[in-house]
Amino acid sequence: MKKEDIVHLEKLMNFLSLHFLKKNNWENVTKTEWSYIVDELNELIIHDNEEKSIKKKPELLGSNYLYEHLIINKLKKYYQNENSVLSKPNLAKLSLIVKVLGYSNYIDFINSNTEAFNFNDLKINMNNTKQNTLLLDRLVGCWYSYNRNLPDNPLQAKDDRIWRSAMEIYKSETTGEYFIERSGGDHHKYFGKVTAYSDYIFIIMNSNTFIRQRHFISRIKDIKEKLKNPDYKLYELHFISTCISFNQEPIALFEIFQKVSDRKSFHPDSISFPIDSDEIPPSIIKQLEDTEANRIDYK
C-alpha cells in the first residue's frame, strides 16, 4: 500500500467512527465498537438487497473485518512502521461498505470527503461598508431549506416540495466571520461565508468537489427598524441564487432560463426556515433528529 492508500483508508475509518459512534478518530474506537459497526453495515447490506429484490444471499462482512483486517493489519501496522509491506484491502468490500452509505463506489467516497474546508478562497468583503452584525447574529443557528426551482408545480403541498438541505450558520470564534455549512445531494458538503450590509444578506458557497461557487442574495425590507425590537424573529428567508463556474459563467441561470417557458409564473427563489419553524413538515424534523438511523433522502 502507498501512503495515499493509507490516507484514503484512514478517511473511511474516521468516517465510519463519526457516522456510527460520533467519534472523530478511528483510534478512539474499541474492538467491540468495530464489531457493532460491522453489524450495522451488514443490516444495511441486507436491507439494500431486499429493496432491490436480489434473491442471491448477500455477501456480509465478517464480525472482525474492520478491526482485524483494516485497523490491525493495515493502519496500525503502517503507523508502527511506515516501511511495512502491506497488501491493499479488498476494493470490492470497501465499495460494498460505502455503497450502502449512499456512494457509487469507493473512489466516489474518497472524492466526496475532505478533512477541511478552504474558507479563505471565499471572498465577499465590501470595503468602506459596515457589516450589519445585528442581522448576522440573528441568522446564527440551524435552518432548513427548500428549493422552489425544482418542483414542476410550485403550488404543490408543502410536504411534497423538493427537499434541499439542512444548514447551520455560525460565528467563527477565531476570526469573527460568519460561516455556513450545509448538507448536499450525493453526500457533497457545502461550506461558505455569510455577510450582511444594510437590508441585504450575501452568501457565497462552494463544495468539496465542485470547481464553482454558488451565490445567494436575500433582502429583508426595513430590517434596521425591525431589529430595534429585541423580540423580533426571522421566520423565513428567501434567496435568489446563481452558480458561477471557474470561468465565471452563470451556470444556474442558463439552466433556469432553458427550462422556464413562462417567466411570470416562475418562482426564482429558495426559501429557508429556522429549524423550529412550523413550516417544516414533522417528517423532516423526525429524520433530522434521528441522526443514527436516518440520512436526508435527497430527491
Side-chain angles (χ1 to χ4, degrees), residues 215-272:
H215 300 241
F216 297 86
I217 301 172
S218 180
R219 186 188 181 202
I220 307 174
K221 292 181 180 179
D222 305 318
I223 189 62
K224 288 184 179 178
E225 289 300 314
K226 292 173 181 175
L227 288 176
K228 289 178 182 178
N229 176 5
D231 298 322
Y232 173 72
K233 283 190 175 182
L234 286 165
Y235 289 104
E236 62 182 57
L237 289 174
H238 292 258
F239 286 102
I240 294 176
S241 69
T242 185
C243 191
I244 306 295
S245 70
F246 62 90
N247 62 0
Q248 302 303 306
E249 291 183 353
I251 298 172
L253 290 181
F254 290 154
E255 293 174 352
I256 289 169
F257 288 119
Q258 283 176 350
K259 294 177 181 177
V260 176
S261 55
D262 182 3
R263 294 183 189 178
K264 290 183 179 179
S265 63
F266 174 64
H267 293 267
D269 59 333
S270 299
I271 185 167
S272 301

Side-chain angles (χ1 to χ4, degrees), residues 71-292:
I71 298 296
I72 298 295
N73 293 333
K74 307 296 182 191
L75 295 183
K76 285 192 174 182
K77 203 168 182 180
Y78 175 82
Y79 284 112
Q80 287 167 359
N81 179 7
E82 292 188 5
N83 295 317
S84 299
V85 178
L86 304 173
S87 60
K88 286 189 177 184
N90 187 313
L91 186 59
K93 284 195 174 182
L94 297 183
S95 287
L96 177 65
I97 291 171
V98 298
K99 277 183 178 178
V100 294
L101 295 173
Y103 297 90
S104 302
N105 50 50
Y106 186 55
I107 304 303
D108 177 43
F109 166 79
I110 297 304
N111 291 336
S112 298
N113 286 275
T114 56
E115 279 69 35
F117 299 135
N118 190 4
F119 287 103
N120 292 328
D121 286 347
L122 305 174
K123 294 179 174 60
I124 49 173
N125 294 327
M126 293 186 184
N127 296 328
N128 304 319
T129 308
K130 187 177 179 182
Q131 281 195 19
N132 190 343
T133 52
L134 285 177
L135 173 54
L136 289 167
D137 287 335
R138 296 294 181 99
L139 297 177
V140 168
C142 295
W143 295 75
Y144 195 81
S145 303
Y146 289 101
N147 190 331
R148 283 184 171 169
N149 295 338
L150 295 178
D152 292 330
N153 177 10
L155 301 178
Q156 66 192 90
K158 290 172 187 171
D159 279 19
D160 295 331
R161 268 193 242 161
I162 301 286
W163 303 358
R164 197 172 106 204
S165 61
M167 64 184 184
E168 181 185 8
I169 297 174
Y170 61 95
K171 186 175 182 179
S172 169
E173 294 181 0
T174 54
T175 67
E177 294 176 289
Y178 293 81
F179 291 151
I180 182 170
E181 294 183 20
R182 78 169 175 86
S183 52
D186 299 325
H187 298 272
H188 293 144
K189 297 175 183 176
Y190 292 85
F191 61 98
K193 285 183 178 178
V194 187
T195 191
Y197 301 101
S198 187
D199 293 356
Y200 290 89
I201 299 166
F202 299 89
I203 297 177
I204 181 170
M205 298 190 77
N206 210 339
S207 157
N208 57 338
T209 57
F210 292 163
I211 322 174
R212 61 194 192 196
Q213 296 176 341
R214 186 172 287 278
H215 300 241
F216 297 86
I217 301 172
S218 180
R219 186 188 181 202
I220 307 174
K221 292 181 180 179
D222 305 318
I223 189 62
K224 288 184 179 178
E225 289 300 314
K226 292 173 181 175
L227 288 176
K228 289 178 182 178
N229 176 5
D231 298 322
Y232 173 72
K233 283 190 175 182
L234 286 165
Y235 289 104
E236 62 182 57
L237 289 174
H238 292 258
F239 286 102
I240 294 176
S241 69
T242 185
C243 191
I244 306 295
S245 70
F246 62 90
N247 62 0
Q248 302 303 306
E249 291 183 353
I251 298 172
L253 290 181
F254 290 154
E255 293 174 352
I256 289 169
F257 288 119
Q258 283 176 350
K259 294 177 181 177
V260 176
S261 55
D262 182 3
R263 294 183 189 178
K264 290 183 179 179
S265 63
F266 174 64
H267 293 267
D269 59 333
S270 299
I271 185 167
S272 301
F273 299 102
I275 211 73
D276 57 354
S277 169
D278 293 335
E279 293 289 317
I280 303 175
S283 60
I284 289 180
I285 294 295
K286 183 179 178 182
Q287 198 162 24
L288 292 173
E289 288 174 343
D290 194 353
T291 56
E292 287 293 327

